[in-house]
Amino acid sequence: MKNIRSKFKGISKHYTTSSLFPELPPIDFKPLPYKGISYEKAQYMQLNNVFPQVQMYEDPLLLHEGKMQWLFDYKGKRYLDMFGGIATVSVGHCHPKIIEAIAEQSGILGHVSGAYEHPKMYEYVESLVSKMPGDLKTVYLVNSGSEANELAMLLARLHTGNQDVLSIQNCYHGVSGNLHGLTALASAKFNNTPAGISIHHAMCPDVFKGIWGGRKCRDSPVQTQRSCECDRNHCRAADNYYEQLENIFSYSIPRGKVAGFFAESIQGVGGVVQFPRGYLKRVYELIRSNGGLCVADEVQTGFGRTGEHFWNFQSHGITPDIVTMAKGIGNGFPMAAVVTTSAIARSLNSAFHFNTFGGNPVSCAVGVSVLKVIEEEGLQQNCLDVGTYFLEKLCGMRREWKIIGDVRGKGLMIGVELIDGDQDDIDNIGVINPLNCRAVSRIKNDCLKMGLLFGVGGIRSNVLRFMPPMCVTKADVDFTIAVLRRAMQNYYEAKYRNNL
């Protein structure tokens, strides 16, 4: 161990290979006995009767019950959920007020479709638009983020009369229909349709791995360690990335003929990538001066998750023309929305458009309850407080472990990018090598054994993604840090036994 410590940062003093796993924080809850199908039958059916799914772990996790930030598998083992069903469980698994809202509304009116009016929809719309700035007061309720973004693209094209749409490399906006083209991750594309027609992707303004950027560029409690020439009042990296997008108008799109621009305010699936300060504001001005609409994808970042603001686009100092939202909107209930101005919404009047389940009475009751719980339990403030505490702890780990190349995010939307720990220089472009998939898998599966769940993202699948239920505590963060330390120590010890 002495030789390992002398050559590499990253061997924790807190645990040895013979020590016990970090201890889960105590809770006053006991899961129900599992009475479902056997684990073996579930795996057989997954292989033979269910469309292929992305498997997170070497041994698939069969979950049985959830309570707030906790999940339980079929054996009754408890896990701290630091992924929240991909930033979807906002107020907590099986929150009692959400359960009550579902039960109450289900006993009154379950479904009528958009062909009829019902009061719960108007109650929800009134609550939602009270959270929106400016003229963003017209709501179309749908069922998923993909549906919301499809509708937003249709609105942009109908309203402007133009076809060309821009998004940013490394973005994820869904994988249905036209969204296969809008999403700029090759792993999410099929060789089946010309979905990319009239869609253009700008260079991703990633200040950690990109050509420009460094430690003065992000609106975040933490910064990358790369040096840069920016100052507090002006980000040169934002200027350079803006020029790359502006070049699209010189080579690919006729001036004045753009339909719209889509951007996540923080890229989620792409690895929690934050843009440099001022970038989106300048891009919005450019798009609007060329006849287009600006669409903010708040599917993962909305509903207070990033702490300082209810919508993270507000941290960029911008107001979109269209906002799409899903995931945390319903705490796991299939619900989503498009919010825009009344003038843009009227563009749909040119033809028939309908959504059978959008605005379902039960989903609206859930939506109302989610907004109330976020307010009553101070969950937006909790995201800011606990998230900042978590980011600071992770920065401390970055100083200890050379495989942690970057820590980034705001509130409870956090990414930890793992890199090849043998490299010494992350300032030079092209030398930031991702930690290999086998090593990331080793760390992730070790954390699973210790009771910690999180996601993985980024184009090289080397970014650990933390987007937990917004009710997590600092004690949960301390447990997470302890587990990560132990898993990384296990990685180093395996590496120097030539097992990795």
Side-chain angles (χ1 to χ4, degrees), residues 17-62:
T17 52
S18 60
S19 66
L20 298 174
F21 286 165
E23 187 173 345
L24 284 159
I27 62 170
D28 184 20
F29 179 79
K30 185 177 181 180
L32 295 169
Y34 178 69
K35 298 179 180 179
I37 64 172
S38 69
Y39 182 83
E40 292 73 21
K41 184 174 180 179
Q43 303 319 305
Y44 175 86
M45 293 187 69
Q46 179 64 51
L47 182 63
N48 296 284
N49 305 110
V50 179
F51 265 75
Q53 306 268 353
V54 174
Q55 292 296 337
M56 291 282 291
Y57 299 102
E58 293 173 355
D59 296 319
L61 189 59
L62 181 60

CSV table of all heavy atoms in Angstrom, one decimal, residues 17-62:
chain,number,residue,atom,x,y,z
A,17,THR,N,-9.0,-3.0,2.9
A,17,THR,CA,-9.8,-4.1,2.2
A,17,THR,C,-10.5,-5.0,3.2
A,17,THR,O,-11.5,-5.6,2.8
A,17,THR,CB,-8.9,-4.9,1.3
A,17,THR,OG1,-7.8,-5.3,2.1
A,17,THR,CG2,-8.4,-4.1,0.2
A,18,SER,N,-10.1,-5.0,4.4
A,18,SER,CA,-10.7,-5.9,5.4
A,18,SER,C,-11.8,-5.2,6.2
A,18,SER,O,-12.5,-5.9,7.0
A,18,SER,CB,-9.7,-6.5,6.3
A,18,SER,OG,-9.0,-5.4,7.0
A,19,SER,N,-12.0,-3.9,6.0
A,19,SER,CA,-13.0,-3.2,6.8
A,19,SER,C,-14.4,-3.4,6.3
A,19,SER,O,-14.6,-3.8,5.2
A,19,SER,CB,-12.6,-1.7,6.8
A,19,SER,OG,-12.8,-1.1,5.5
A,20,LEU,N,-15.3,-3.1,7.1
A,20,LEU,CA,-16.7,-3.3,6.8
A,20,LEU,C,-17.1,-2.2,5.8
A,20,LEU,O,-16.5,-1.2,5.6
A,20,LEU,CB,-17.6,-3.2,8.0
A,20,LEU,CG,-17.4,-4.2,9.1
A,20,LEU,CD1,-18.2,-3.9,10.3
A,20,LEU,CD2,-17.7,-5.6,8.6
A,21,PHE,N,-18.3,-2.5,5.1
A,21,PHE,CA,-18.8,-1.5,4.2
A,21,PHE,C,-19.3,-0.3,5.0
A,21,PHE,O,-19.6,-0.4,6.2
A,21,PHE,CB,-20.0,-2.0,3.4
A,21,PHE,CG,-19.7,-3.0,2.4
A,21,PHE,CD1,-20.7,-3.9,1.8
A,21,PHE,CD2,-18.4,-3.2,1.9
A,21,PHE,CE1,-20.4,-4.8,0.8
A,21,PHE,CE2,-18.1,-4.1,0.9
A,21,PHE,CZ,-19.1,-4.9,0.4
A,22,PRO,N,-19.3,0.9,4.4
A,22,PRO,CA,-19.9,2.1,5.0
A,22,PRO,C,-21.3,1.8,5.4
A,22,PRO,O,-22.0,1.1,4.7
A,22,PRO,CB,-19.8,3.2,3.9
A,22,PRO,CG,-18.7,2.8,3.1
A,22,PRO,CD,-18.7,1.3,3.1
A,23,GLU,N,-21.7,2.4,6.5
A,23,GLU,CA,-23.0,2.0,7.1
A,23,GLU,C,-24.1,3.0,6.6
A,23,GLU,O,-24.0,4.2,6.6
A,23,GLU,CB,-23.0,2.1,8.6
A,23,GLU,CG,-24.3,1.6,9.3
A,23,GLU,CD,-24.1,1.6,10.8
A,23,GLU,OE1,-23.0,1.6,11.3
A,23,GLU,OE2,-25.2,1.5,11.5
A,24,LEU,N,-25.2,2.4,6.1
A,24,LEU,CA,-26.3,3.2,5.6
A,24,LEU,C,-26.9,4.0,6.7
A,24,LEU,O,-27.0,3.6,7.9
A,24,LEU,CB,-27.4,2.3,5.0
A,24,LEU,CG,-27.2,1.7,3.7
A,24,LEU,CD1,-28.1,0.4,3.5
A,24,LEU,CD2,-27.5,2.7,2.6
A,25,PRO,N,-27.4,5.3,6.5
A,25,PRO,CA,-28.1,6.1,7.5
A,25,PRO,C,-29.3,5.3,8.0
A,25,PRO,O,-30.0,4.7,7.2
A,25,PRO,CB,-28.4,7.4,6.8
A,25,PRO,CG,-27.5,7.4,5.6
A,25,PRO,CD,-27.2,6.0,5.2
A,26,PRO,N,-29.6,5.4,9.3
A,26,PRO,CA,-30.8,4.7,9.8
A,26,PRO,C,-32.1,5.3,9.3
A,26,PRO,O,-32.2,6.5,9.1
A,26,PRO,CB,-30.6,4.8,11.3
A,26,PRO,CG,-29.8,6.1,11.5
A,26,PRO,CD,-28.9,6.2,10.3
A,27,ILE,N,-33.1,4.4,9.1
A,27,ILE,CA,-34.4,4.9,8.8
A,27,ILE,C,-35.5,4.1,9.6
A,27,ILE,O,-35.2,3.0,10.1
A,27,ILE,CB,-34.7,4.8,7.3
A,27,ILE,CG1,-34.7,3.3,6.9
A,27,ILE,CG2,-33.8,5.6,6.4
A,27,ILE,CD1,-35.2,3.0,5.5
A,28,ASP,N,-36.6,4.8,9.7
A,28,ASP,CA,-37.7,4.1,10.5
A,28,ASP,C,-38.7,3.6,9.5
A,28,ASP,O,-39.8,4.2,9.3
A,28,ASP,CB,-38.4,5.2,11.4
A,28,ASP,CG,-39.5,4.5,12.3
A,28,ASP,OD1,-39.5,3.3,12.4
A,28,ASP,OD2,-40.3,5.3,12.8
A,29,PHE,N,-38.4,2.6,8.7
A,29,PHE,CA,-39.3,2.0,7.7
A,29,PHE,C,-38.9,0.6,7.4
A,29,PHE,O,-37.7,0.3,7.4
A,29,PHE,CB,-39.2,2.8,6.4
A,29,PHE,CG,-40.0,2.3,5.3
A,29,PHE,CD1,-41.4,2.6,5.3
A,29,PHE,CD2,-39.5,1.5,4.3
A,29,PHE,CE1,-42.2,2.1,4.2
A,29,PHE,CE2,-40.3,1.0,3.3
A,29,PHE,CZ,-41.6,1.3,3.2
A,30,LYS,N,-39.8,-0.3,7.3
A,30,LYS,CA,-39.6,-1.7,7.0
A,30,LYS,C,-40.4,-2.0,5.7
A,30,LYS,O,-41.6,-1.9,5.7
A,30,LYS,CB,-40.0,-2.6,8.2
A,30,LYS,CG,-39.7,-4.0,7.9
A,30,LYS,CD,-40.1,-4.9,9.2
A,30,LYS,CE,-39.7,-6.3,9.0
A,30,LYS,NZ,-40.1,-7.1,10.2
A,31,PRO,N,-39.7,-2.6,4.7
A,31,PRO,CA,-40.4,-2.9,3.5
A,31,PRO,C,-41.3,-4.1,3.6
A,31,PRO,O,-41.1,-4.9,4.5
A,31,PRO,CB,-39.2,-3.2,2.5
A,31,PRO,CG,-38.1,-3.7,3.4
A,31,PRO,CD,-38.2,-2.9,4.6
A,32,LEU,N,-42.3,-4.1,2.8
A,32,LEU,CA,-43.2,-5.3,2.8
A,32,LEU,C,-42.5,-6.5,2.3
A,32,LEU,O,-41.5,-6.4,1.5
A,32,LEU,CB,-44.4,-5.0,1.9
A,32,LEU,CG,-45.3,-3.9,2.3
A,32,LEU,CD1,-46.3,-3.5,1.2
A,32,LEU,CD2,-46.1,-4.2,3.6
A,33,PRO,N,-42.9,-7.7,2.7
A,33,PRO,CA,-42.3,-8.9,2.1
A,33,PRO,C,-42.6,-9.0,0.6
A,33,PRO,O,-43.6,-8.7,0.1
A,33,PRO,CB,-43.1,-10.1,2.9
A,33,PRO,CG,-43.6,-9.4,4.1
A,33,PRO,CD,-43.9,-8.0,3.7
A,34,TYR,N,-41.6,-9.5,-0.1
A,34,TYR,CA,-41.7,-9.6,-1.6
A,34,TYR,C,-42.5,-10.9,-1.9
A,34,TYR,O,-42.2,-11.9,-1.4
A,34,TYR,CB,-40.3,-9.7,-2.2
A,34,TYR,CG,-40.4,-9.9,-3.7
A,34,TYR,CD1,-40.8,-8.8,-4.5
A,34,TYR,CD2,-40.0,-11.1,-4.3
A,34,TYR,CE1,-40.9,-9.0,-5.9
A,34,TYR,CE2,-40.0,-11.2,-5.7
A,34,TYR,CZ,-40.5,-10.2,-6.5
A,34,TYR,OH,-40.5,-10.3,-7.8
A,35,LYS,N,-43.6,-10.7,-2.8
A,35,LYS,CA,-44.4,-11.8,-3.2
A,35,LYS,C,-44.5,-11.9,-4.7
A,35,LYS,O,-45.4,-12.6,-5.2
A,35,LYS,CB,-45.8,-11.7,-2.6
A,35,LYS,CG,-45.8,-11.7,-1.0
A,35,LYS,CD,-47.2,-11.5,-0.5
A,35,LYS,CE,-47.2,-11.5,1.0
A,35,LYS,NZ,-48.6,-11.3,1.6
A,36,GLY,N,-43.6,-11.3,-5.4
A,36,GLY,CA,-43.6,-11.4,-6.9
A,36,GLY,C,-43.0,-12.6,-7.5
A,36,GLY,O,-42.7,-13.6,-6.8
A,37,ILE,N,-42.8,-12.6,-8.8
A,37,ILE,CA,-42.2,-13.7,-9.5
A,37,ILE,C,-40.7,-13.8,-9.0
A,37,ILE,O,-40.1,-12.9,-8.5
A,37,ILE,CB,-42.2,-13.5,-11.0
A,37,ILE,CG1,-41.4,-12.3,-11.4
A,37,ILE,CG2,-43.7,-13.4,-11.5
A,37,ILE,CD1,-41.3,-12.2,-12.9
A,38,SER,N,-40.2,-15.0,-9.2
A,38,SER,CA,-38.8,-15.3,-8.8
A,38,SER,C,-37.8,-14.4,-9.7
A,38,SER,O,-38.1,-14.0,-10.8
A,38,SER,CB,-38.5,-16.7,-9.0
A,38,SER,OG,-38.4,-17.1,-10.4
A,39,TYR,N,-36.7,-14.2,-9.1
A,39,TYR,CA,-35.6,-13.5,-9.8
A,39,TYR,C,-35.3,-14.2,-11.1
A,39,TYR,O,-35.1,-13.5,-12.2
A,39,TYR,CB,-34.4,-13.3,-8.9
A,39,TYR,CG,-33.3,-12.5,-9.5
A,39,TYR,CD1,-33.3,-11.1,-9.5
A,39,TYR,CD2,-32.2,-13.1,-10.2
A,39,TYR,CE1,-32.2,-10.4,-10.0
A,39,TYR,CE2,-31.2,-12.4,-10.8
A,39,TYR,CZ,-31.2,-11.0,-10.7
A,39,TYR,OH,-30.2,-10.3,-11.2
A,40,GLU,N,-35.2,-15.5,-11.1
A,40,GLU,CA,-34.8,-16.3,-12.3
A,40,GLU,C,-35.8,-16.1,-13.4
A,40,GLU,O,-35.5,-15.9,-14.5
A,40,GLU,CB,-34.6,-17.7,-11.9
A,40,GLU,CG,-33.4,-18.0,-11.0
A,40,GLU,CD,-33.6,-17.6,-9.5
A,40,GLU,OE1,-34.8,-17.4,-9.1
A,40,GLU,OE2,-32.6,-17.4,-8.8
A,41,LYS,N,-37.1,-16.1,-13.0
A,41,LYS,CA,-38.2,-16.0,-14.0
A,41,LYS,C,-38.1,-14.5,-14.6
A,41,LYS,O,-38.4,-14.4,-15.8
A,41,LYS,CB,-39.6,-16.2,-13.4
A,41,LYS,CG,-40.7,-16.2,-14.4
A,41,LYS,CD,-42.0,-16.6,-13.9
A,41,LYS,CE,-43.1,-16.5,-15.0
A,41,LYS,NZ,-44.4,-16.9,-14.4
A,42,ALA,N,-37.9,-13.6,-13.8
A,42,ALA,CA,-37.8,-12.2,-14.2
A,42,ALA,C,-36.7,-12.1,-15.3
A,42,ALA,O,-36.9,-11.4,-16.3
A,42,ALA,CB,-37.5,-11.2,-13.1
A,43,GLN,N,-35.5,-12.7,-15.0
A,43,GLN,CA,-34.4,-12.6,-16.0
A,43,GLN,C,-34.8,-13.4,-17.3
A,43,GLN,O,-34.4,-13.0,-18.4
A,43,GLN,CB,-33.1,-13.2,-15.4
A,43,GLN,CG,-32.7,-12.5,-14.1
A,43,GLN,CD,-32.9,-11.0,-14.2
A,43,GLN,OE1,-32.4,-10.3,-15.1
A,43,GLN,NE2,-33.6,-10.4,-13.2
A,44,TYR,N,-35.5,-14.5,-17.2
A,44,TYR,CA,-35.9,-15.3,-18.3
A,44,TYR,C,-36.8,-14.4,-19.2
A,44,TYR,O,-36.7,-14.3,-20.4
A,44,TYR,CB,-36.6,-16.6,-17.9
A,44,TYR,CG,-37.1,-17.3,-19.1
A,44,TYR,CD1,-36.4,-18.2,-19.8
A,44,TYR,CD2,-38.5,-17.1,-19.5
A,44,TYR,CE1,-36.9,-18.9,-20.9
A,44,TYR,CE2,-39.0,-17.8,-20.6
A,44,TYR,CZ,-38.2,-18.7,-21.3
A,44,TYR,OH,-38.7,-19.4,-22.4
A,45,MET,N,-37.8,-13.8,-18.5
A,45,MET,CA,-38.8,-12.9,-19.3
A,45,MET,C,-38.1,-11.7,-19.9
A,45,MET,O,-38.4,-11.3,-21.0
A,45,MET,CB,-39.9,-12.5,-18.3
A,45,MET,CG,-40.8,-13.7,-17.9
A,45,MET,SD,-42.2,-13.1,-17.0
A,45,MET,CE,-43.2,-12.3,-18.3
A,46,GLN,N,-37.1,-11.1,-19.2
A,46,GLN,CA,-36.4,-10.0,-19.7
A,46,GLN,C,-35.7,-10.4,-21.0
A,46,GLN,O,-35.6,-9.6,-22.0
A,46,GLN,CB,-35.4,-9.5,-18.7
A,46,GLN,CG,-34.6,-8.3,-19.2
A,46,GLN,CD,-35.4,-7.1,-19.5
A,46,GLN,OE1,-36.2,-6.7,-18.6
A,46,GLN,NE2,-35.3,-6.5,-20.6
A,47,LEU,N,-35.2,-11.6,-21.0
A,47,LEU,CA,-34.4,-12.1,-22.2
A,47,LEU,C,-35.3,-12.5,-23.3
A,47,LEU,O,-35.0,-12.3,-24.5
A,47,LEU,CB,-33.5,-13.3,-21.8
A,47,LEU,CG,-32.6,-13.9,-22.9
A,47,LEU,CD1,-31.6,-12.9,-23.4
A,47,LEU,CD2,-32.0,-15.1,-22.3
A,48,ASN,N,-36.5,-13.0,-23.0
A,48,ASN,CA,-37.3,-13.7,-24.0
A,48,ASN,C,-38.6,-12.9,-24.4
A,48,ASN,O,-39.2,-13.2,-25.4
A,48,ASN,CB,-37.7,-15.1,-23.6
A,48,ASN,CG,-36.5,-16.0,-23.6
A,48,ASN,OD1,-35.9,-16.4,-24.6
A,48,ASN,ND2,-36.0,-16.3,-22.4
A,49,ASN,N,-39.1,-12.1,-23.4
A,49,ASN,CA,-40.4,-11.5,-23.6
A,49,ASN,C,-40.5,-10.0,-23.6
A,49,ASN,O,-41.6,-9.4,-23.8
A,49,ASN,CB,-41.4,-12.0,-22.5
A,49,ASN,CG,-41.4,-13.5,-22.5
A,49,ASN,OD1,-40.9,-14.2,-21.6
A,49,ASN,ND2,-42.0,-14.2,-23.5
A,50,VAL,N,-39.4,-9.4,-23.3
A,50,VAL,CA,-39.3,-7.9,-23.2
A,50,VAL,C,-38.3,-7.3,-24.1
A,50,VAL,O,-37.3,-7.9,-24.3
A,50,VAL,CB,-39.0,-7.5,-21.7
A,50,VAL,CG1,-38.9,-6.0,-21.5
A,50,VAL,CG2,-40.0,-8.1,-20.7
A,51,PHE,N,-38.7,-6.2,-24.7
A,51,PHE,CA,-37.7,-5.5,-25.6
A,51,PHE,C,-36.4,-5.3,-24.9
A,51,PHE,O,-36.4,-5.0,-23.6
A,51,PHE,CB,-38.3,-4.2,-26.1
A,51,PHE,CG,-38.9,-4.3,-27.4
A,51,PHE,CD1,-40.2,-4.9,-27.6
A,51,PHE,CD2,-38.3,-3.8,-28.6
A,51,PHE,CE1,-40.8,-5.0,-28.8
A,51,PHE,CE2,-39.0,-3.9,-29.8
A,51,PHE,CZ,-40.2,-4.5,-29.9
A,52,PRO,N,-35.3,-5.3,-25.5
A,52,PRO,CA,-34.0,-5.1,-24.9
A,52,PRO,C,-33.9,-3.8,-24.1
A,52,PRO,O,-34.4,-2.8,-24.6
A,52,PRO,CB,-33.0,-5.1,-26.0
A,52,PRO,CG,-33.6,-5.9,-27.1
A,52,PRO,CD,-35.1,-5.6,-27.0
A,53,GLN,N,-33.3,-3.8,-22.9
A,53,GLN,CA,-33.2,-2.7,-22.1
A,53,GLN,C,-31.7,-2.5,-21.8
A,53,GLN,O,-31.0,-3.4,-21.7
A,53,GLN,CB,-34.0,-2.8,-20.8
A,53,GLN,CG,-35.4,-3.2,-21.0
A,53,GLN,CD,-36.4,-2.0,-21.0
A,53,GLN,OE1,-35.9,-0.9,-20.8
A,53,GLN,NE2,-37.6,-2.2,-21.3
A,54,VAL,N,-31.4,-1.2,-21.5
A,54,VAL,CA,-30.0,-1.0,-21.0
A,54,VAL,C,-29.9,-1.6,-19.6
A,54,VAL,O,-30.7,-1.3,-18.7
A,54,VAL,CB,-29.7,0.5,-20.9
A,54,VAL,CG1,-28.4,0.8,-20.3
A,54,VAL,CG2,-29.8,1.1,-22.3
A,55,GLN,N,-28.9,-2.4,-19.4
A,55,GLN,CA,-28.6,-3.0,-18.1
A,55,GLN,C,-27.6,-2.3,-17.3
A,55,GLN,O,-26.5,-2.1,-17.8
A,55,GLN,CB,-28.2,-4.5,-18.2
A,55,GLN,CG,-29.3,-5.4,-18.8
A,55,GLN,CD,-30.5,-5.5,-17.8
A,55,GLN,OE1,-30.4,-5.3,-16.6
A,55,GLN,NE2,-31.7,-5.9,-18.3
A,56,MET,N,-27.9,-1.8,-16.2
A,56,MET,CA,-27.0,-0.9,-15.4
A,56,MET,C,-25.9,-1.7,-14.7
A,56,MET,O,-24.8,-1.2,-14.5
A,56,MET,CB,-27.8,-0.2,-14.3
A,56,MET,CG,-28.8,0.9,-14.9
A,56,MET,SD,-27.9,2.4,-15.3
A,56,MET,CE,-27.4,3.0,-13.7
A,57,TYR,N,-26.2,-3.0,-14.3
A,57,TYR,CA,-25.3,-3.7,-13.5
A,57,TYR,C,-25.0,-5.1,-14.0
A,57,TYR,O,-25.8,-5.7,-14.8
A,57,TYR,CB,-25.8,-3.8,-12.1
A,57,TYR,CG,-26.0,-2.5,-11.4
A,57,TYR,CD1,-27.3,-1.9,-11.3
A,57,TYR,CD2,-24.9,-1.7,-11.0
A,57,TYR,CE1,-27.5,-0.6,-10.8
A,57,TYR,CE2,-25.1,-0.5,-10.4
A,57,TYR,CZ,-26.4,0.1,-10.3
A,57,TYR,OH,-26.5,1.3,-9.8
A,58,GLU,N,-23.9,-5.7,-13.5
A,58,GLU,CA,-23.6,-7.1,-14.0
A,58,GLU,C,-24.7,-8.1,-13.6
A,58,GLU,O,-25.1,-8.9,-14.4
A,58,GLU,CB,-22.3,-7.5,-13.3
A,58,GLU,CG,-21.1,-6.8,-13.7
A,58,GLU,CD,-19.8,-7.1,-12.9
A,58,GLU,OE1,-20.0,-7.9,-11.9
A,58,GLU,OE2,-18.7,-6.6,-13.3
A,59,ASP,N,-25.3,-7.9,-12.4
A,59,ASP,CA,-26.4,-8.7,-12.0
A,59,ASP,C,-27.6,-7.7,-11.9
A,59,ASP,O,-27.7,-6.9,-11.1
A,59,ASP,CB,-26.2,-9.3,-10.6
A,59,ASP,CG,-25.1,-10.3,-10.6
A,59,ASP,OD1,-25.0,-11.1,-11.6
A,59,ASP,OD2,-24.3,-10.4,-9.7
A,60,PRO,N,-28.6,-7.8,-12.9
A,60,PRO,CA,-29.7,-6.9,-12.9
A,60,PRO,C,-30.4,-6.7,-11.6
A,60,PRO,O,-30.5,-7.7,-10.8
A,60,PRO,CB,-30.6,-7.5,-14.0
A,60,PRO,CG,-29.7,-8.3,-14.8
A,60,PRO,CD,-28.7,-8.9,-13.9
A,61,LEU,N,-30.8,-5.5,-11.3
A,61,LEU,CA,-31.4,-5.2,-10.0
A,61,LEU,C,-32.9,-5.3,-10.1
A,61,LEU,O,-33.5,-4.6,-10.9
A,61,LEU,CB,-31.0,-3.8,-9.6
A,61,LEU,CG,-31.3,-3.2,-8.2
A,61,LEU,CD1,-30.7,-4.1,-7.2
A,61,LEU,CD2,-30.8,-1.8,-8.1
A,62,LEU,N,-33.5,-6.2,-9.3
A,62,LEU,CA,-34.9,-6.3,-9.3
A,62,LEU,C,-35.5,-5.6,-8.1
A,62,LEU,O,-35.4,-6.1,-7.0
A,62,LEU,CB,-35.3,-7.8,-9.3
A,62,LEU,CG,-36.8,-8.2,-9.3
A,62,LEU,CD1,-37.5,-7.7,-10.5
A,62,LEU,CD2,-37.0,-9.7,-9.1
